[in-house]
């Protein structure tokens, strides 16, 4: 074994010089150290030619150092908790968990006193005998000794940690330099501290600030890491091991260096035994225990990468806090609080529902599937904005090296909060057109044309000239419906069957700018905008949309929006018009147990309740009618509603739907490029090119998930059907133009017959049975209303069961 080279003579300090330095320091300490200092001076003064001038210089130097320990609170790990209090993740600059002295084993307290400062309860911050031994040993070139009391060590560590936290390199060097000046400063601060704090306070401070391993700060963190137990449960052997590590956190780490760790542990046990803290039997028992038998290593790493499948939600939580001006004024202050403030961050995540979502997504569209398609679920609670679930078929990995099925991009949220730029939402945007339609005193029973045609102008008061115009080629929307359309359909039917041309004709009776503003009123904005930036909500709507303020975007949803915003908006319909900003954090508690300010859900009545109830009822029909886009995929025992969405070219498909308790958005598509899904199975459904819609993948996922998470919940009824426009009294069918087919949709059959006959036509009635309910309604005529027809011609009055007007 190689031996270290002896120190060269030139490196050794001369005895007179070392003693002079020793005296210079000690004479300063004597000035305030009381009786112990006087005795120490009496020992040293005969040994050197001290003069009163030297003593005065020592006192002057001593007095030049500060007497108050002024440091910021120590960095302490913050924790993010799920709604049930379970730990999601830990964040720290230094991995430290602060605990009071009563939560630290007496064995641990005894161990550090025995090995570091056995006269801890006798001295006043500086131990003259310890200093004497250390200075004599050091001055003659013996083994280096510190001579520092626990109080002095606490001061040293506190000064160092404070400098590190502030990033002050000069102060870091000052706190670690090997000089008598540093010792003198620490001694003065220690004496001062002992006058302000009790011994137990100092001991507690030391145990929380000291480094007990390569990256373990404070005894609680070290105990959890090495033994998977709290510091209050440490036995004498475990306490001795931790107390020994502080002298060399890397050198005595029992994981990396078990032999050195064991030797050091036994030395501390010897000190504990000598001081009477443990019996002979305990000393023999614990020094004989192999290190490997003691260790129960628990790796506690920082950040959301260790939050399991909830990593994306965890990341969203951190980003909301880092963006929240209520949390702290500047980004840097917010970052320091998160990573060193010792915060407890309580969130809205429901672990059981989260697991249900993750399991369904992973089974239906596995993360590592070669096709690379993404699938996500996000749920918001109506009336509170709480985000209950945020899941996707990927593993969260924020590092540069990623494997198959891993990403740091959150498919559910806006770009500024860790997401992409959103995905086109397709026809799930239509409800915002419907919302504006109802708000503008139109009825869901009104009829609109379904004919395909080139459209060259739409009202848009915020646009140049007060309108969107495009004469060539214009806009020529098509339909992709599975039912036979009449030339005129009710708005209700147009919603159920997702008729693009009908919605285009509705928009021509509204205003594109108003539709976009209505969407923003319930939280729907392009995913490129930061919801924590007030300008997102204040800027003119035409500035937000730019060239995208066009009918293809505002009517048919060719706009990139986050799934979270869509779920939050639909929650407004389920809550009677109350919009709540989606909220992941319910409370942030500081290290002292006090709540901190954060931006909350900000719930506000954004819609007339009657209008919101109408929206909920219409979307319920969209789900319940097997002919509609929702295909009758209801939630057993729970009234629900929603809307499918398919973007242009079928690149992205959606279902957004709700009950009174939950509003959920489901997205399916390729997250990196526009690719039509084809050539693979999702469960038993084989995806064929051009045959994938919102109800192909996203709706079945939504139904399965919503069914699972509603088990055991009470059913909460939806509002009844909106009132129909008051029909004319008997014989009063309203204004009828002879030779023109009247609009009789929504009338009683007798009234419809009267109107048709007064226009000069013969009547034929055709019934179109449905299994919905046993009540018949007039839904229209053949030919369509407004058709000029020779008198005496036959007009067919169409009736159907169900609730379509």
């Amino acid at each position: 074994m190689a031996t270290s080279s002896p120190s060269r003579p030139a490196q050794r300090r001369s005895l007179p010089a070392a003693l002079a330095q020793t005296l210079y320091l000690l004479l300063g300490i004597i000035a305030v150290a009381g009786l112990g200092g006087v005795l120490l001076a009496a020992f040293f003064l005969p040994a050197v030619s001290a003069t009163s001038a030297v003593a005065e210089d020592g006192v002057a130097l001593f007095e030049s150092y500060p007497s108050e320990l002024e440091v910021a609170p120590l960095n302490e790990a913050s924790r993010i908790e799920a709604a049930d209090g379970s730990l999601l993740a830990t964040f720290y600059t230094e991995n430290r968990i602060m605990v009071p002295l009563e939560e630290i084993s007496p064995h641990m307290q005894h161990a550090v006193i025995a090995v570091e400062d056995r006269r801890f309860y006798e001295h006043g911050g500086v131990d003259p005998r310890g200093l004497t031994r250390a200075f004599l040993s050091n001055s003659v070139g013996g083994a280096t000794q510190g001579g520092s009391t626990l109080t002095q060590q606490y001061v040293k560590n506190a000064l160092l940690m404070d400098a590190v936290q502030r990033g002050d390199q000069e102060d870091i060097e000052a706190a670690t330099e090997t000089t008598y000046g540093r010792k003198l400063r620490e001694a003065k601060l220690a004496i001062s501290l002992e006058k302000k704090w009790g011994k137990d306070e100092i001991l507690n401070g030391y145990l929380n600030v000291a480094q007990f391993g390569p990256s373990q700060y404070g005894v609680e963190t070290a105990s959890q890491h090495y033994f998977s137990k709290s510091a209050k449960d440490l036995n004498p052997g475990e306490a001795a091991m931790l107390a020994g590590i502080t002298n060399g956190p890397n050198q005595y780490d029992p994981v990396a260096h078990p032999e050195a760790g064991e030797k050091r542990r036994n030395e501390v046990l010897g000190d504990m035994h000598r001081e009477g803290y443990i019996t002979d039997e305990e000393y023999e028992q614990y020094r004989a225990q192999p290190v490997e038998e003691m260790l129960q290593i628990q790796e506690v790493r920082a950040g959301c990468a260790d939050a399991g499948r909830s990593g994306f939600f965890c990341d969203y939580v951190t980003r909301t806090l880092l963006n929240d001006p209520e949390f702290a004024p500047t980004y840097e202050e917010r970052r320091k609080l998160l990573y060193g403030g010792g915060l407890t961050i309580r969130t809205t995540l429901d672990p059981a529902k989260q697991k249900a979502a993750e399991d369904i997504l992973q089974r239906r569209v596995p993360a590592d599937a070669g096709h690379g398609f993404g699938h996500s679920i996000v749920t918001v609670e109506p009336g509170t904005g709480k985000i209950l679930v945020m899941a996707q078929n990927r593993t969260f990995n924020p590092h540069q090296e990623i494997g198959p099925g891993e990403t740091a991009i959150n498919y559910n949220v806006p770009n500024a909060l860790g997401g992409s730029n959103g995905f086109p939402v397709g026809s799930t945007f239509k409800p915002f057109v419907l919302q504006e339609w109802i708000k503008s005193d139109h009825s869901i029973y009104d009829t609109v044309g379904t004919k395909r045609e080139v459209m060259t102008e739409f009202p848009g008061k915020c646009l140049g000239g007060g309108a969107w115009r495009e004469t060539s080629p214009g806009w020529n929307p098509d339909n992709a419906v599975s039912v036979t359309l009449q030339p005129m359909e009710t708005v209700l039917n147009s919603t159920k069957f997702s008729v693009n041309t009908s919605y285009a004709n509705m928009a021509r009776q509204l205003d594109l700018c108003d539709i976009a503003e209505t969407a923003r009123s319930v939280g729907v904005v392009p995913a490129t905008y930061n919801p924590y930036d007030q300008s997102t909500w204040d800027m003119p709507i035409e500035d937000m949309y730019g060239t995208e303020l066009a009918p293809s975007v505002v009517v048919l949803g060719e706009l990139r929006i986050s799934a979270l915003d869509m779920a939050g908006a639909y929650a407004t319909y389920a809550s009677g018009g109350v919009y709540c900003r989606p909220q992941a954090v319910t409370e942030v508690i500081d290290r002292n147990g006090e709540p901190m300010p954060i931006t909350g859900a900000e719930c506000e009545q954004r819609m007339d309740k009657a209008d919101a109830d109408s929206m909920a009822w219409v979307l319920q029909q969209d789900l319940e009618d097997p002919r509609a886009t929702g295909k009758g995929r209801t939630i057993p025992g729970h009234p629900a509603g929603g809307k499918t969405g398919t973007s242009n070219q079928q690149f992205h498909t959606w279902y957004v739907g709700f009950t009174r308790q939950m509003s959920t958005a489901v997205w399916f598509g390729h997250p990196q490029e526009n690719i039509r899904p084809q050539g693979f199975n999702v469960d038993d459904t084989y995806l064929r090119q051009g045959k994938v819609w919102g109800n192909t993948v996203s709706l079945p996922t939504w139904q399965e998930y919503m069914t699972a998470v509603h088990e055991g919940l009470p059913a909460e009824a939806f509002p009844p059907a909106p009132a129909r426009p008051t029909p004319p009294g008997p014989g009063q069918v309203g204004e009828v133009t002879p030779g023109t087919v009247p609009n009789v949709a929504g009338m009683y059959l007798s009234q419809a017959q009267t109107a048709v006959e007064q226009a000069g036509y013969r009547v034929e009635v055709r019934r179109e049975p449905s299994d919905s309910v046993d009540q018949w309604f007039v839904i229209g005529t053949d030919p369509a209303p407004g058709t000029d027809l020779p008198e005496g011609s036959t007009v067919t009055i169409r009736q159907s069961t169900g609730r379509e007007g």
Side-chain angles (χ1 to χ4, degrees):
M1 178 181 293
T3 58
S4 58
S5 300
S7 299
R8 289 174 293 180
Q11 291 178 313
R12 294 200 174 193
R13 295 167 294 170
S14 66
L15 179 60
L19 289 176
Q21 284 183 313
T22 301
L23 178 63
Y24 197 67
L25 172 63
L26 291 177
L27 287 177
I29 298 175
I30 290 167
V32 288
L35 179 60
V38 173
L39 294 174
L40 186 59
F43 176 85
F44 270 106
L45 283 174
V48 293
S49 57
T51 67
S52 60
V54 173
E56 289 174 3
D57 287 343
V59 171
L61 179 61
F62 189 86
E63 291 296 331
S64 71
Y65 288 109
S67 59
E68 295 292 334
L69 182 62
E70 296 180 357
V71 294
L74 292 172
N75 277 338
E76 183 178 355
S78 295
R79 53 184 284 129
I80 296 179
E81 298 177 348
D84 63 357
S86 58
L87 179 66
L88 291 179
T90 303
F91 289 84
Y92 55 80
T93 303
E94 289 96 34
N95 188 13
R96 178 183 289 108
I97 303 170
M98 307 286 280
V99 289
L101 193 62
E102 56 266 24
E103 292 296 318
I104 300 174
S105 165
H107 300 302
M108 188 67 217
Q109 300 175 43
H110 296 156
V112 296
I113 290 172
V115 71
E116 298 290 344
D117 187 3
R118 61 179 180 268
R119 281 181 290 278
F120 173 66
Y121 287 104
E122 300 169 19
H123 62 67
V126 176
D127 182 7
R129 280 193 285 173
L131 278 175
T132 302
R133 182 181 64 254
F135 281 128
L136 285 175
S137 176
N138 296 346
S139 62
V140 297
T144 301
Q145 297 183 20
S148 295
T149 64
L150 283 177
T151 312
Q152 289 172 274
Q153 292 184 54
Y154 169 74
V155 167
K156 174 188 175 181
N157 283 321
L159 290 171
L160 176 60
M161 290 297 102
D162 182 65
V164 169
Q165 289 173 193
R166 290 184 287 105
D168 190 323
Q169 189 59 39
E170 186 176 332
D171 280 359
I172 292 173
E173 293 173 359
T176 55
E177 62 185 0
T178 307
T179 66
Y180 286 111
R182 193 205 85 206
K183 288 283 189 181
L184 186 58
R185 178 177 63 159
E186 291 171 2
K188 183 176 181 181
L189 289 172
I191 293 167
S192 173
L193 190 64
E194 290 262 0
K195 295 177 181 178
K196 295 173 58 179
W197 287 12
K199 289 289 186 178
D200 284 352
E201 289 179 280
I202 294 169
L203 179 59
N204 186 225
Y206 171 81
L207 289 168
N208 278 304
V209 72
Q211 188 175 354
F212 289 95
S215 60
Q216 283 71 46
Y217 295 83
V219 67
E220 177 66 20
T221 302
S223 181
Q224 295 285 358
H225 171 68
Y226 286 114
F227 309 119
S228 296
K229 63 169 62 175
S230 173
K232 70 178 185 296
D233 299 320
L234 292 170
N235 64 39
E238 295 161 343
M241 180 169 285
L242 293 187
I245 291 174
T246 55
N247 191 249
N250 291 296
Q251 176 185 355
Y252 297 122
D253 175 23
V255 177
H257 306 288
E259 292 184 3
E262 181 175 307
K263 181 180 179 182
R264 179 64 175 160
R265 177 203 66 186
N266 292 344
E267 291 172 357
V268 178
L269 284 170
D271 290 337
M272 294 173 71
H273 181 248
R274 183 178 61 253
E275 296 299 315
Y277 290 129
I278 56 175
T279 64
D280 294 344
E281 292 78 8
E282 288 173 321
Y283 172 67
E284 295 298 335
Q285 173 190 349
Y286 290 112
R287 71 187 303 272
Q289 186 177 17
V291 168
E292 293 77 7
E293 290 183 8
M294 299 177 64
L295 298 177
Q296 295 289 331
I297 300 299
Q298 176 177 274
E299 294 293 347
V300 181
R301 294 181 293 173
C304 293
D306 294 304
R309 293 192 292 180
S310 300
F312 296 99
F313 175 80
C314 170
D315 183 65
Y316 176 78
V317 168
T318 66
R319 290 174 185 271
T320 58
L321 290 176
L322 291 174
N323 276 273
D324 188 356
E326 292 292 323
F327 183 50
T330 67
Y331 179 88
E332 185 58 28
E333 289 175 288
R334 297 190 285 266
R335 190 193 67 79
K336 286 183 177 180
L337 276 172
L338 176 63
Y339 286 90
L343 309 178
T344 299
I345 302 163
R346 295 169 180 159
T347 74
T348 58
L349 190 76
D350 186 314
K353 294 180 176 62
Q354 177 77 9
K355 184 178 187 304
E358 291 166 348
D359 290 347
I360 291 169
L361 292 172
Q362 182 61 28
R363 188 197 77 242
R364 287 176 58 76
V365 186
D368 57 357
H371 52 67
F373 274 77
H375 205 16
S376 70
I377 295 173
V378 62
T379 297
V380 172
E381 185 176 66
T384 68
K386 292 179 179 178
I387 303 170
L388 306 179
V389 166
M390 185 178 284
Q392 64 190 62
N393 67 331
R394 294 290 193 271
T395 298
F396 180 73
N397 182 353
H399 308 298
Q400 284 189 333
E401 296 295 327
I402 61 172
E406 297 179 340
T407 185
I409 304 299
N410 189 333
Y411 300 155
N412 283 304
V413 304
N415 177 273
L417 299 176
S420 63
N421 289 331
F423 306 108
V425 297
S427 290
T428 58
F429 201 88
K430 283 176 180 168
F432 310 127
V433 181
L434 179 60
Q435 183 180 338
E436 180 62 22
W437 179 266
I438 294 172
K439 177 184 173 183
S440 302
D441 295 326
H442 291 81
S443 169
I444 62 171
Y445 305 112
D446 292 344
T447 57
V448 287
T450 63
K451 180 182 177 181
R452 184 178 183 184
E453 60 180 306
V454 175
M455 302 179 181
T456 60
E457 184 172 327
F458 282 79
K461 60 190 176 187
C462 64
L463 301 175
W468 174 90
R469 295 181 179 88
E470 185 178 279
T471 56
S472 179
W475 186 47
N476 188 7
D478 196 5
N479 295 313
V481 298
S482 57
V483 296
T484 300
L485 295 176
Q486 298 303 315
M488 299 289 288
E489 289 283 2
T490 62
V491 169
L492 174 59
N493 278 348
S494 297
T495 304
K496 289 166 54 177
F497 305 133
S498 201
V499 184
N500 294 339
T501 51
S502 293
Y503 264 80
N505 282 317
M506 290 164 64
R508 288 202 285 188
Q509 300 178 54
L510 300 170
D511 185 287
L512 297 180
C513 304
D514 288 342
I515 295 170
E517 195 63 75
T518 289
R520 181 164 65 171
S521 75
V522 289
V524 173
V525 297
T528 51
Y529 287 89
N530 185 349
Y532 280 87
D533 186 342
Q534 189 56 42
S535 69
T536 297
W537 312 105
D538 295 340
M539 71 172 62
I541 200 71
E542 62 270 26
D543 292 348
M544 171 173 284
Y545 277 72
T547 58
E548 290 192 311
L549 194 51
S552 62
V553 173
V554 176
V555 178
L556 301 187
E558 286 303 310
L559 185 67
R560 293 175 173 270
I561 301 170
S562 75
L564 178 60
D565 282 352
M566 295 300 290
Y570 277 49
T572 310
Y573 308 140
S575 64
V578 175
Y579 169 73
C580 296
R581 180 182 192 163
Q583 178 187 23
V585 179
T586 57
E587 194 175 30
V588 177
I589 303 299
D590 69 15
R591 70 175 78 214
N592 299 315
E594 297 297 325
M596 298 186 65
I598 56 172
T599 298
E602 298 179 347
C603 296
E604 185 179 345
Q605 190 80 35
R606 296 284 177 86
M607 292 179 64
D608 180 82
K609 184 179 185 303
D611 291 352
D613 288 348
S614 294
M615 291 289 303
W617 184 85
V618 171
L619 295 175
Q620 183 182 19
Q621 313 319 304
D622 189 19
L623 180 66
E624 292 186 349
D625 190 335
R627 301 170 303 156
T629 61
K631 300 299 181 185
R633 284 187 171 271
T634 57
I635 310 303
H638 296 273
K643 184 73 188 72
T644 54
T646 306
S647 74
N648 188 33
Q649 305 283 327
Q650 301 176 329
F651 294 139
H652 303 275
T653 65
W654 296 74
Y655 194 80
V656 186
F658 53 88
T659 63
R660 290 290 202 182
Q661 294 106 321
M662 297 177 222
S663 177
T664 296
V666 175
W667 163 81
F668 171 70
H670 201 286
Q672 295 172 314
E673 52 188 325
N674 286 330
I675 302 176
R676 278 186 167 187
Q678 60 176 312
F680 59 92
N681 279 68
V682 175
D683 281 350
D684 296 329
T685 301
Y686 182 75
L687 305 188
R688 293 179 172 83
Q689 182 175 347
K691 301 296 182 182
V692 180
W693 311 95
N695 52 31
T696 306
V697 176
S698 294
L699 174 57
T701 295
W702 179 89
Q703 183 192 35
E704 181 182 353
Y705 161 76
M706 290 287 274
T707 298
V709 297
H710 278 80
E711 287 184 5
L713 295 180
E716 294 191 19
F718 270 31
R724 295 171 178 272
T726 304
Q732 300 175 4
V733 297
E735 185 176 336
V736 173
T737 303
T740 302
V741 178
N743 184 359
V744 295
M747 291 184 181
Y748 300 122
L749 180 59
S750 60
Q751 296 167 341
Q753 289 173 321
T754 299
V756 172
E757 289 168 354
Q758 287 183 357
Y761 306 123
R762 290 182 296 170
V763 174
E764 181 181 280
V765 177
R766 183 172 78 237
R767 290 189 168 185
E768 300 173 357
S770 170
D771 296 330
S772 298
V773 294
D774 297 326
Q775 186 173 1
W776 293 90
F777 296 94
V778 174
I779 61 172
T781 60
D782 289 329
T787 303
D788 293 333
L789 198 65
E791 292 188 29
S793 301
T794 298
V795 170
T796 300
I797 296 175
R798 298 170 50 236
Q799 268 192 314
S800 181
T801 54
R803 300 169 186 164
E804 61 272 37

